[in-house]
Amino acid sequence: MARIVMKFGGATLTSTEHIQDVAKKVIAEKEKGFEIVVVTTAMRGMSKELAKMARDLSDNASKRELDALLSTSSQLTSALVTIALREEGYEAVSLTGWQVGIQTDAMYGNARIDEIDASRMEAHFMQGKIVIVAGEQGIDNSRNITTLGKGGAETTAIAIAAVLEAERVDIYTNVDGVYTADPSQVARAQKLKEISYDEMLELSNLGTQVLHPRAVELAKKFQIPVTIRSSEKDTVGTLLKEEVGMEKNLVVRGVAYESDVIRLTVGYDAYSNASLADMFTILAENRINVDIIVQAIIDGLKPTVSFTILKEEFADALRVLEDSKLSLGFSFADFEIGLAKVSIIGSGMASNPGVAARMFDRLRREGIPVKMVSTSEIKVSVIVPQDEMIRAANALHDEFNLEQAFYI
């Protein structure tokens, strides 16, 4: 019997009425003959409320206990969805991350999945049951509860699909698919019928909040089709897969942006003191994500390395750098706030030269300064002042004629 995995986000689980709607969607797929795993997240706002309660009690709560606390939020929704399904006469069972066999490393708050033991899910399938999994969590080798951090539930859904060899994963969200740009800020944004793994990975890394990069990476690795669809509207979503057609010969297929970017600059008295490997190894060991990197070595000036990070990782990055200042050998560190990243993405860019020049020319004509640049085969990203972010996104959407992307 074919299997599918259905993941429901916090916006779809905010009330008992919403949970009953989720149950109806699950039942509709069950009636088509699928074996089903449902992955749930916490109700919107619940994790924040639990975290606030912990902060009210302690300024330095144990990360282990925080994971034990926060894991209960998705356990609640998985149990409620199960109750709703059983009330409709369907056999269903809720499982926590550790009950379903999700083994992780011991990085509390941002754990990674090592393996999944599917035997318990298989046993429930043999009994004709729908399996409801509390997303975003697992257990480490010491049998401590861990949480997976941002994107944990959708990553869980795709990892389960991989181990079960599921036909597809359906991601139900408060949006009805992937657009050429954020439709709330770019009036002419169009929904894409299909998008490739590589394009979606770039969009996710560059600020689009629809699907987390970890989940996209897993989907690509195991070649799992993923449909991103609305939890409220019965419309066709966006299919994520390996290859897509180049409708209308559009070289650029999306514009993404990300606010609250900070540029950190580290300076050295001499080039011999600088070690990019040492610096970025220490940052990586502390799970601090570094984006655009620029090294400047100019005769007569002290060498510097500049890189961008997100606002929420700024304090941790400064702490790590300060703690490691002697071993890293740098003489000063400076930062600039009020920045944003704007990017264009498209798999066709690899074989079409001149895209970056066209991007830079349009930004120049708009009077938007470019502070840093990063490129790959299928994207170009620029750092611009944050108050110019939306104007830059709209200008680039217009420049590359993305309003013509009538894919549906």
Side-chain angles (χ1 to χ4, degrees):
M1 188 178 294
R3 296 166 175 174
I4 63 170
V5 179
M6 306 171 71
K7 180 263 179 182
F8 292 91
T12 68
L13 301 164
T14 54
S15 67
T16 52
E17 290 78 13
H18 282 132
I19 288 170
Q20 287 171 332
D21 288 340
V22 166
K24 290 175 183 177
K25 288 181 172 60
V26 175
I27 289 169
E29 296 296 340
K30 180 66 174 175
E31 289 299 314
K32 294 176 184 176
F34 290 110
E35 292 180 333
I36 298 172
V37 175
V38 177
V39 177
T40 65
T41 58
M43 287 184 180
R44 178 181 284 175
M46 179 168 289
S47 295
K48 289 183 179 179
E49 183 62 27
L50 290 173
K52 180 181 180 300
M53 292 173 69
R55 288 195 301 271
D56 289 344
L57 294 170
S58 171
D59 292 330
N60 191 31
S62 159
K63 290 185 177 181
R64 178 191 183 278
E65 300 309 323
L66 285 174
D67 272 19
L69 173 68
L70 296 175
S71 68
T72 62
S73 56
S74 55
Q75 292 173 28
L76 183 151
T77 52
S78 66
L80 289 174
V81 170
T82 302
I83 290 168
L85 286 167
R86 293 180 68 88
E87 181 63 20
E88 295 295 325
Y90 289 81
E91 287 295 314
V93 59
S94 66
L95 299 175
T96 64
W98 67 266
Q99 286 174 323
V100 84
I102 298 175
Q103 191 77 32
T104 76
D105 61 21
M107 183 64 72
Y108 296 118
N110 196 22
R112 295 293 187 269
I113 297 173
D114 289 331
E115 60 182 355
I116 298 178
D117 179 357
S119 58
R120 190 162 183 175
M121 288 185 285
E122 296 283 4
H124 287 306
F125 285 151
M126 291 292 292
Q127 298 167 1
K129 294 180 179 179
I130 302 168
V131 178
I132 320 297
V133 177
E136 308 167 315
Q137 61 183 264
I139 191 169
D140 67 14
N141 287 330
S142 299
R143 302 189 65 78
N144 294 308
I145 294 171
T146 57
T147 62
L148 307 182
K150 285 185 177 180
E154 54 213 38
T155 301
T156 297
I158 292 172
I160 287 174
V163 75
L164 291 177
E165 298 183 348
E167 183 175 293
R168 70 175 195 272
V169 176
D170 290 337
I171 305 288
Y172 289 85
T173 72
N174 58 350
V175 298
D176 62 345
V178 180
Y179 281 71
T180 54
D182 182 350
S184 68
Q185 300 292 341
V186 180
R188 296 184 177 181
Q190 302 294 321
K191 187 170 73 173
L192 298 169
K193 182 179 179 180
E194 298 176 345
I195 189 168
S196 71
Y197 294 122
D198 288 337
E199 288 172 333
M200 189 70 236
L201 185 58
E202 291 287 6
L203 281 170
S204 298
N205 276 315
L206 296 170
T208 301
Q209 302 296 315
V210 176
L211 199 59
H212 197 275
R214 292 166 61 185
V216 182
E217 288 171 358
L218 268 184
K220 177 177 172 63
K221 179 178 179 180
F222 293 102
Q223 294 292 295
I224 299 170
V226 179
T227 301
I228 299 148
R229 58 195 309 172
S230 171
S231 59
E232 299 176 354
K233 305 174 186 176
D234 188 17
T235 58
V236 176
T238 299
L239 176 62
L240 173 62
K241 62 178 188 176
E242 183 61 43
E243 298 290 342
V244 299
M246 291 296 293
E247 290 106 326
K248 295 185 181 293
N249 295 316
L250 290 178
V251 176
V252 174
R253 284 165 47 88
V255 176
Y257 56 80
E258 194 166 20
S259 61
D260 292 322
V261 172
I262 296 176
R263 177 167 64 178
L264 270 170
T265 300
V266 176
Y268 298 86
D269 290 330
Y271 175 68
S272 58
N273 295 337
S275 172
L276 294 181
D278 290 346
M279 176 179 296
F280 293 113
T281 295
I282 288 175
L283 291 170
E285 288 172 349
N286 285 271
R287 297 274 171 94
I288 295 169
N289 291 315
V290 173
D291 189 14
I292 299 175
I293 302 170
V294 176
Q295 184 178 34
I297 302 174
I298 303 172
D299 288 343
L301 297 177
K302 291 184 176 182
T304 61
V305 177
S306 296
F307 55 91
T308 59
I309 59 171
L310 294 180
K311 181 180 178 180
E312 55 263 31
E313 296 187 328
F314 179 51
D316 284 342
L318 283 183
R319 174 186 55 79
V320 170
L321 290 175
E322 186 61 32
D323 290 346
S324 309
K325 186 174 182 179
L326 288 177
S327 62
L328 293 176
F330 64 87
S331 57
F332 71 90
D334 198 1
F335 62 91
E336 181 180 1
I337 61 174
L339 302 175
K341 180 171 62 175
V342 181
S343 309
I344 56 173
I345 301 97
S347 56
M349 292 168 59
S351 56
N352 286 271
V355 174
R358 188 173 165 187
M359 178 188 192
F360 300 149
D361 182 60
R362 180 59 183 261
L363 294 173
R364 178 189 60 78
R365 286 186 279 122
E366 296 288 338
I368 299 173
V370 174
K371 293 177 174 283
M372 299 176 80
V373 178
S374 174
T375 66
S376 75
E377 285 190 341
I378 65 170
K379 64 95 175 172
V380 182
S381 297
V382 294
I383 300 298
V384 300
Q386 184 158 305
D387 57 7
E388 298 282 15
M389 178 180 73
I390 300 301
R391 193 162 69 89
N394 277 272
L396 294 173
H397 196 274
D398 173 71
E399 175 66 26
F400 292 100
N401 304 312
L402 295 185
E403 69 276 4
Q404 297 180 13
F406 293 112
Y407 290 87
I408 61 172

